[in-house]
Amino acid sequence: MNRRTFTRGLALLGLAPSLPMPTITAATAATPAPVVITSSQYAWASWYAQKNGVTSVAAIARDLKVAPEVAQALFQKLVATGAIRAPAAGGLATASRPFLTRAGRRALAAKGGEAARRIGARTRRELFNAMRRFGEDDKKPETPETT
């Protein structure tokens, strides 16, 4: 590099703060990407809510290991489809059709192992059927849009 190029580079660096720079507007920088929910995520969230009887956005995010935005979208879809009731003030929502109520859990614990095995088999069978139904949606080939 010769002396003239070096001196010109120093001069340009001194002028750089006064040159107009393209700005990034807050609207384009803060545009969130749309949240995508798969049918298997919805099936697991629905099963989780029915199994526990109550759920929240934080519980879905923690136990299903999904991002908070995905958990919020799953929670809203569960409310919209009627799988859970609208949340109370604390953010907890009760399941519309829980697998077992609190009294049912107590009775199950009092009866012992055989009843627990039967309920467990029924729960596994219902989960398998739900996963099979929702999995069929994922297998459908997508048709390209024609313009």
Side-chain angles (χ1 to χ4, degrees):
M1 179 186 306
N2 62 26
R3 191 180 325 152
R4 286 185 188 155
T5 309
F6 180 74
T7 309
R8 189 180 312 138
L10 286 178
L12 287 176
L13 282 177
L15 294 174
S18 64
L19 295 175
M21 298 294 284
T23 59
I24 300 174
T25 62
T28 59
T31 304
V35 178
V36 177
I37 300 173
T38 63
S39 57
S40 61
Q41 286 175 328
Y42 175 77
W44 278 107
S46 176
W47 176 80
Y48 176 79
Q50 290 177 1
K51 179 181 80 77
N52 292 324
V54 295
T55 191
S56 66
V57 174
I60 290 173
R62 180 187 64 237
D63 294 337
L64 297 182
K65 295 177 178 50
V66 294
E69 298 83 21
V70 175
Q72 180 66 36
L74 283 168
F75 191 81
Q76 289 173 350
K77 188 171 181 180
L78 288 170
V79 171
T81 56
I84 58 176
R85 293 184 179 94
L92 290 175
T94 58
S96 300
R97 297 181 336 174
F99 288 142
L100 286 176
T101 60
R102 185 173 292 159
R105 287 190 190 108
R106 277 192 230 119
L108 184 63
K111 288 182 181 178
E114 180 57 32
R117 280 191 291 277
R118 280 187 278 146
I119 294 295
R122 178 179 151 243
T123 304
R124 281 192 302 276
R125 193 170 44 253
E126 287 177 356
L127 175 62
F128 176 75
N129 290 336
M131 293 300 293
R132 189 180 65 218
R133 277 193 313 268
F134 287 115
E136 290 170 357
D137 293 342
D138 290 340
K139 292 178 184 175
K140 290 181 183 174
E142 294 185 17
T143 57
E145 296 181 14
T146 57
T147 56

